[in-house]
Amino acid sequence: MGRGTLRIYLGAAPGVGKTYAMLSEGHRRVERGTDCVVGFVEHHGRPRTEVMLHGLEQTPRREASYRGAAFTEMDVDALLARRPAIALVDELAHTNVPGSRNAKRWQDVEELLKAGIDVVSTVNIQHLESLGDVVESITGVRQRETLPDEVVRRADQIELVDMSPQALRRRMAHGNVYQPDKVDAALSNYFRPGNLTALRELALLWVADRADEYLQQYRGEHDIRSTWQARERIVVGLTGGAEGRTLIRRAARMAAKGSGSEILAVYIARSDGLTAASPKELAVQRTLVEDLGGTFHHVIGDNVPEALLAFAKGVNATQVVLGSSRRKTWQYVFGPGVGVTVARDSGPDLDVHIVTHEAVARGRGLPVVRSAARLGRNRIAAGWVVGVLLPGLLALVLTHIDSDPGLANEMLIFLSLTVASALLGGLYPALASAAVGSLLLNFYFAPPVHQFTVSDPKNIVAIAVFFGVAVAVASVVDLAARRTHQAARLRAESEILSFLAGSVLRGETTLDALLERVRETFAMESVALLERESDVEPWIPAGSVGPSPVSRPEDADVDMPIGDHMAMALSGRVLPAEDRRVLGAFAAQAAVVLDRQRLVGEAEGARRMAEGNRIRTALLAAVSHDLRTPLASIKASVSSLRSDDVEWSEEDRAELLEGIEHGADRLDHLVGNLLDMSRLQTGTVTPLIREIDLDEVVPMALGGVPEGSVLLDVPESLPMVAVDPGLLERAVANVVENAVKYSPGGEPVTVAASSHGERVEVRVTDRGPGVPDEAKDKIFAPFQRHGDAPRGAGVGLGLAVARGFAEAMGGTLTAEDTPGGGLTMVLTLRAAAPATGAADGAGRGTADGAEPANSGAAHAGPASPSDARQKAGSP
C-alpha cells in the first residue's frame, strides 16, 4: 500500500475561498466517480460554503469535552475505517482539543496519508511557522495556531487561492466572510488594505520559491543546461578589486526593480597558487553582498570566462554584471579580456552588463599569484613559439623584400624577438631564440649567404656580439620578471598575514571563518584542523570547512603539522613549496584561535564555578542560621509537648502547635526558594506558556501574607497575559511577601495591574524605607538583603527567584521609588494576542474563542506556593 498524496489550497488571508475551492474539487472528483468524503470542514456560518457541502458524504465528527465545554473534532478512526480514496480536511494548522490522539490536525492528516488515503486540505500563509514573526510585525497579531513549513513543502501539489485586497474587503462588506457585527472591526484592524497586500505578497513569494524548487529539480533530472528565465538571477563577477563594491551595489539596484530577484556574487580563483585578490577586500565584499540579501560564492577555475559562464548557467542566471576592464590599451595584445569573452560566449539567454568604475583603463596592477617558475603551459608554449618559430618567419620575410635593411637593423629585429620570448616564456625560450637568431643571421644575411661561414671578420664579431647581448638581455629580463613577481608575491603574502594577524588579535575571526579563508586563499576544496591526545590516539577534527574533509593528515593533498599532536589537512591540489610558508602562518594562527576559543570557554566555566562557589558559601551561611532558627523553634516546641514534667493547658498546647506550624511554614518557604534558585542557576526552568487572566493568578499568590495587609486592584478588562501560571504566582508571591515584610504597620501594600499596549504591568507598592538607586540592582542578587534586615528575615532569595521566573517567561522585574516614600516593584509581562474575529478565520478554535492557544500548557493555576513549585517542574 503506497502513501497517499497531499494537495493544499494556500491562501493569503481568511475568506479568499480556500474551503470553497476544496469543496469544488471534491464535487469534481465525485462527478468523475471517485470515492471522496468530507473528513472535516468548518463553514463558519458562510452560506455559500455551507451550500457546497450538499451532495458530499460527511464523516461523523468525534465529540470531545474540555473544561466543561463540548467540542467536535475530526474522527481519524472513522476515516481510517471508511478508507475513502480522497478525504477533504479543512484547516490544516488547527490545534486539536487537549486529550486528542494528536495535538495538531496536520498530524491526523499524516496518519491518513500513511494509510494510503489522498488528502485535500487548506491553510493560510500566516500559519506557517517560519513566517510567524513577519506576520506579527505586519498585522500586530501573533498567530497561535501554526504548523511546520516542511509539512506544506512536502505536499504533492500546492495551489494558491488568490484574491486582490479590494475584492476580499468587498466580499467581507457583503457579509460573505464574517457575521455583520464583526465586519466593521475586521475591516478596520486585521483586514486593512496594507495588511492584505503584504500577506498576499508573502503568499505569492512563498509559492514562487516552491515552484522554483520544482523547476531546479526538473532541470537536474533532465540535465537541462540552457537558461530558463523563470526568475531574475543576477551573477556579479568579482576580481577582488575595489570596484567590486560598485558592481554589487549596481546589481542590488537591478534586483530591486523586480520582486524575487536574487544576487549571487562569485570570485573565480586560479588553481596555481595564492589568490590574486586582496583577502581584506574580498571579506568586505562578502559582507556587503550578504547585507544586501545576496550570497557569496568561491569557484576555482584557470579559465576565468569559462568558469564564470559555467557557474551562471549552473544557477540558471539571467544576467551577469561585470566591471569594465582595468587593462591599459597596450595590454589588449594579450587577449580580449574577461568581459568581452563572457559577452561573446554568453548566448542569447544570458544578458551581460558591463559597468564602468573609477579603475577603468588604469592597469591591472602587478600579478600576485604567479611567479616566473610557474608561468603555465600556455605562456611557456607562447615563449617557445616567439623564440623559435617567429625568427624563421622573420627571416623568410626579410629575404623577400626588395630593400636591404642592413645587418645591424636585422640584428635589432631578431633581438626584439628574443626579449619577447623572455617576457613570455622565461629564460630557456630566450636562450633558444638567441641561438636560432644567430644561426639565421649567419645563414641568410652574413656574406656568403646560404652558408654557415662568414667571410668578413667584422660580421663574425657582430654575430657574436648579437648572441652575447641576446643572452644577457634575456637573463636580465628573466631576472627582472622573477624579482617583480617575487616582490608582488611578498606584498600579497604580507597583506594576507597582516590582515590575518590583525583579525585574530582583535578576536574577530572564529575557527571556521579562518579555515574558510585558508580554503579561499589557496583555492582548496576542503580544509580541516585535526588533533589527537597522543601518537597512538586517532585524529579528531577540531574544525573543518568544505565538502568531504579528510579525517587523517595522510589522506590530504597537503598537511601542515602544528606541534606534535595537531595538523592542518587540505584537499584539492598539491601546494608548491613557497606557498607552505604562508600556510604555516595560517596553521599557527588556527592553533591560536582554537586555544583562545577553549580559553574563553574555560574562563566562562571558571566564572560559573566561582559564582556557584559564592552561592554555596552564602548557602552555608544561610543554613547555619536561617534554617536552624525555625528548626530550633520546632525542636523546642516538640520537646516541650513530649515532656512529662509539665502539665500543659489546652491554650499552651495550641500555642506550641502554632509555633511548630509557623516554623514548618518558614522552612517550607526557605527550602522552596533554595530549590527555585538552584533550578535558575542550572538553567532547568522550562516555562509552560499559556494565556490566562491575571485575576486568576494574582489573588492566589496572596495566600502567604496576613489578611488585610494587601490592597488588590486587578481590573477584569485587562487583556490576557502569556505566562506560566505557576511561575507567575511564585514570582508575585515572593514580591508581595517582601513588600509586606518591609511595609510599616497600618500601611497596606498595593498590588495594581494595568495595560500598556503589548505589555501588562503588575505594580507592587509599599511605604517602607525604600532602597537607594545604587542598591536597586543588588537587591535582586541571590543571598542579598538590603540595609539592616534582621537575620531572621530570610536568606535573601525571594527577589532573585522572582526576577529569574519573570525573565524565564519573557518578562522583567525592576524596582522604582514610590512617590512619597517606599519601593515599587514593577513586573512587566507579555500581553496575549488580541482574539479578534478577523485574526482567526483559519482556525475554528480561535474563531469561537473556546480553544486554548497552547494545548500543551493547559494546567490551571496552582493553589499554593508549594503547588506552584510542583507545577513549574520543581524537584
Side-chain angles (χ1 to χ4, degrees):
M1 177 178 60
R3 178 183 173 88
T5 61
L6 175 61
R7 179 173 184 173
I8 294 178
Y9 287 96
L10 178 69
V16 295
K18 304 179 302 301
T19 305
Y20 191 93
M22 179 185 69
L23 295 175
S24 298
E25 177 66 18
H27 280 286
R28 285 192 293 270
R29 298 294 183 94
V30 170
E31 290 173 359
R32 292 198 294 263
T34 306
D35 183 14
C36 178
V37 303
V38 175
F40 189 97
V41 168
E42 186 67 58
H43 55 74
H44 296 292
R46 300 166 189 168
R48 296 190 178 183
T49 305
E50 187 176 3
V51 168
M52 292 296 295
L53 286 170
H54 297 166
L56 294 175
E57 178 185 345
Q58 300 185 47
T59 304
R61 300 185 182 186
R62 176 179 59 85
E63 294 186 357
S65 61
Y66 179 70
R67 290 187 174 181
F71 301 91
T72 58
E73 296 286 1
M74 181 174 70
D75 194 336
V76 180
D77 291 327
L79 276 172
L80 293 175
R82 171 66 173 74
R83 296 194 61 80
I86 299 175
L88 307 181
V89 181
D90 204 9
E91 300 174 358
L92 189 61
H94 169 78
T95 301
N96 292 330
V97 171
S100 302
R101 63 191 295 170
N102 294 309
K104 292 285 189 176
R105 182 164 294 163
W106 66 263
Q107 296 170 323
D108 296 337
V109 168
E110 188 67 21
E111 287 193 37
L112 300 179
L113 294 174
K114 289 180 180 179
I117 300 173
D118 295 342
V119 177
V120 182
S121 189
T122 64
V123 72
N124 278 331
I125 192 68
Q126 63 263 35
H127 294 293
L128 297 182
E129 184 66 43
S130 66
L131 299 178
D133 294 337
V134 179
V135 173
E136 183 178 10
S137 65
I138 294 172
T139 64
V141 177
R142 183 69 182 184
Q143 296 299 321
R144 294 176 290 176
E145 294 190 323
T146 61
L147 77 165
D149 292 35
E150 186 60 26
V151 174
V152 184
R153 288 185 177 275
R154 286 201 308 261
D156 300 276
Q157 289 182 312
I158 301 175
E159 183 172 333
L160 178 65
V161 182
D162 188 31
M163 177 174 289
S164 69
Q166 295 78 11
L168 180 55
R169 285 172 59 85
R170 284 197 302 270
R171 176 180 287 185
M172 291 195 63
H174 294 159
N176 295 331
V177 179
Y178 290 122
Q179 298 299 321
D181 59 334
K182 296 182 178 181
V183 170
D184 291 340
L187 290 175
S188 59
N189 290 282
Y190 191 87
F191 285 81
R192 295 192 300 269
N195 290 1
L196 296 178
T197 301
L199 292 174
R200 185 188 188 198
E201 183 177 10
L202 276 179
L204 290 170
L205 290 176
W206 197 91
V207 174
D209 286 337
R210 181 60 174 156
D212 190 63
E213 292 175 9
Y214 281 130
L215 178 61
Q216 294 294 345
Q217 179 181 355
Y218 179 84
R219 285 168 54 85
E221 292 174 351
H222 293 78
D223 195 25
I224 299 173
R225 301 299 181 186
S226 60
T227 300
W228 287 5
Q229 299 184 10
R231 170 186 284 197
E232 290 294 336
R233 284 189 178 86
I234 305 173
V235 171
V236 185
L238 302 178
T239 64
E243 74 278 0
R245 307 183 201 182
T246 302
L247 304 183
I248 293 171
R249 294 188 181 99
R250 182 70 180 88
R253 292 195 297 271
M254 295 168 58
K257 296 179 180 179
S259 179
S261 299
E262 296 182 30
I263 304 174
L264 301 92
V266 57
Y267 172 71
I268 310 294
R270 297 182 184 273
S271 62
D272 59 353
L274 294 174
T275 57
S278 164
K280 182 177 181 180
E281 183 62 34
L282 276 181
V284 171
Q285 293 175 13
R286 176 195 289 269
T287 302
L288 176 61
V289 71
E290 290 174 352
D291 288 344
L292 293 173
T295 55
F296 184 92
H297 303 268
H298 185 270
V299 177
I300 299 173
D302 290 325
N303 189 317
V304 175
E306 181 179 325
L308 181 61
L309 286 173
F311 175 83
K313 293 179 179 179
V315 299
N316 200 29
T318 57
Q319 302 181 61
V320 174
V321 176
L322 300 173
S324 297
S325 178
R326 289 178 290 167
R327 293 184 177 192
K328 294 184 178 180
T329 304
W330 63 269
Q331 290 178 314
Y332 280 97
V333 300
F334 297 106
V338 174
V340 175
T341 305
V342 170
R344 181 191 63 202
D345 299 339
S346 61
D349 298 325
L350 188 61
D351 298 334
V352 179
H353 304 267
I354 305 297
V355 179
T356 59
H357 50 85
E358 295 181 353
V360 172
R362 293 188 178 181
R364 293 187 296 174
L366 297 174
V368 298
V369 178
R370 306 149 79 108
S371 68
R374 292 184 287 113
L375 292 171
R377 294 182 179 180
N378 292 337
R379 281 194 61 175
I380 293 175
W384 283 102
V385 170
V386 172
V388 177
L389 297 182
L390 286 188
L393 295 176
L394 177 61
L396 183 62
V397 172
L398 292 177
T399 54
H400 286 79
I401 61 176
D402 295 334
S403 59
D404 184 9
L407 185 60
N409 291 329
E410 291 164 347
M411 287 183 177
L412 290 176
I413 296 174
F414 278 95
L415 183 61
S416 65
L417 294 179
T418 301
V419 174
S421 65
L423 290 173
L424 286 174
L427 179 61
Y428 296 110
L431 293 178
S433 177
V436 171
S438 300
L439 293 175
L440 291 175
L441 287 171
N442 183 1
F443 189 79
Y444 286 104
F445 304 104
V449 297
H450 304 300
Q451 297 181 17
F452 287 106
T453 58
V454 180
S455 60
D456 189 348
K458 295 180 180 180
N459 293 339
I460 295 177
V461 174
I463 293 175
V465 170
F466 166 80
F467 182 77
V469 169
V471 172
V473 168
S475 300
V476 171
V477 170
D478 180 71
L479 181 61
R482 288 176 182 271
R483 294 291 183 265
T484 300
H485 286 295
Q486 290 173 0
R489 181 183 182 84
L490 290 175
R491 184 186 67 183
E493 291 181 6
S494 64
E495 185 178 355
I496 290 172
L497 295 177
S498 173
F499 180 70
L500 172 65
S503 60
V504 171
L505 289 175
R506 291 190 298 269
E508 299 172 352
T509 303
T510 62
L511 181 60
D512 288 343
L514 180 61
L515 296 180
E516 181 63 29
R517 182 157 296 156
V518 173
R519 190 176 77 90
E520 293 181 359
T521 300
F522 296 98
M524 289 293 182
E525 293 180 0
S526 64
V527 180
L529 185 64
L530 308 174
E531 61 178 349
R532 59 182 178 181
E533 296 293 334
S534 63
D535 293 338
V536 297
E537 296 292 331
W539 289 97
I540 300 174
S544 63
V545 295
S548 303
V550 298
S551 57
R552 300 187 307 164
E554 304 85 59
D555 300 333
D557 295 313
V558 180
D559 69 286
M560 175 60 65
I562 312 171
D564 295 332
H565 301 124
M566 186 177 292
M568 181 177 286
L570 296 83
S571 300
R573 64 186 182 87
V574 178
L575 285 182
E578 57 267 30
D579 282 356
R580 294 185 66 88
R581 180 175 66 254
V582 180
L583 179 60
F586 271 107
Q589 293 288 15
V592 171
V593 171
L594 180 61
D595 288 341
R596 188 182 70 235
Q597 289 183 353
R598 288 175 175 172
L599 287 174
V600 170
E602 292 174 1
E604 179 63 21
R607 187 195 64 78
R608 290 196 298 265
M609 186 177 296
E611 179 68 14
N613 289 335
R614 187 188 68 80
I615 292 177
R616 278 191 290 272
T617 302
L619 176 60
L620 290 174
V623 171
S624 66
H625 183 279
D626 295 290
L627 294 183
R628 290 184 62 184
T629 299
L631 282 175
S633 174
I634 294 173
K635 180 70 169 61
S637 298
V638 172
S639 298
S640 299
L641 288 173
R642 296 188 62 185
S643 174
D644 297 332
D645 300 335
V646 180
E647 185 70 28
W648 302 103
S649 64
E650 289 298 325
E651 293 79 6
D652 293 335
R653 297 173 70 82
E655 184 178 353
L656 289 173
L657 290 173
E658 184 180 356
I660 294 174
E661 183 179 15
H662 178 69
D665 289 341
R666 285 187 59 191
L667 276 179
D668 179 66
H669 182 76
L670 291 173
V671 172
N673 274 333
L674 288 172
L675 291 175
D676 291 338
M677 196 67 233
S678 174
R679 292 167 53 225
L680 288 170
Q681 291 289 333
T682 56
T684 58
V685 175
T686 305
L688 302 176
I689 303 297
R690 71 182 182 93
E691 297 178 3
I692 194 170
D693 289 315
L694 278 178
D695 56 7
E696 295 183 33
V697 179
V698 175
M700 301 174 65
L702 308 181
V705 296
E707 187 176 354
S709 61
V710 177
L711 295 179
L712 188 60
D713 181 16
V714 181
E716 295 182 358
S717 60
L718 286 177
M720 301 177 74
V721 291
V723 296
D724 182 308
L727 298 185
L728 176 59
E729 181 186 344
R730 186 65 174 161
V732 173
N734 282 1
V735 173
V736 172
E737 289 172 9
N738 185 78
V740 171
K741 184 189 307 177
Y742 289 97
S743 187
E747 290 286 348
V749 172
T750 301
V751 179
S754 58
S755 175
H756 302 273
E758 298 180 355
R759 301 177 294 114
V760 174
E761 287 185 353
V762 178
R763 305 177 75 88
V764 181
T765 305
D766 66 60
R767 293 295 180 178
V771 176
D773 292 339
E774 62 272 13
K776 281 187 171 63
D777 281 335
K778 295 180 181 179
I779 62 176
F780 294 103
F783 303 103
Q784 294 293 322
R785 290 178 294 186
H786 177 64
D788 56 353
R791 292 291 297 174
V795 295
L797 283 177
L799 294 182
V801 170
R803 171 175 274 190
F805 284 172
E807 292 176 348
M809 296 182 293
T812 60
L813 178 61
T814 57
E816 297 178 357
D817 291 328
T818 301
L823 188 68
T824 298
M825 290 290 179
V826 182
L827 177 61
T828 304
L829 305 170
R830 292 186 294 112
T836 63
D840 41 49
R844 176 188 55 78
T846 310
D848 296 340
E851 197 166 307
N854 189 332
S855 59
H859 63 284
S864 67
S866 59
D867 289 339
R869 291 194 299 274
Q870 294 171 3
K871 295 289 186 179
S874 176

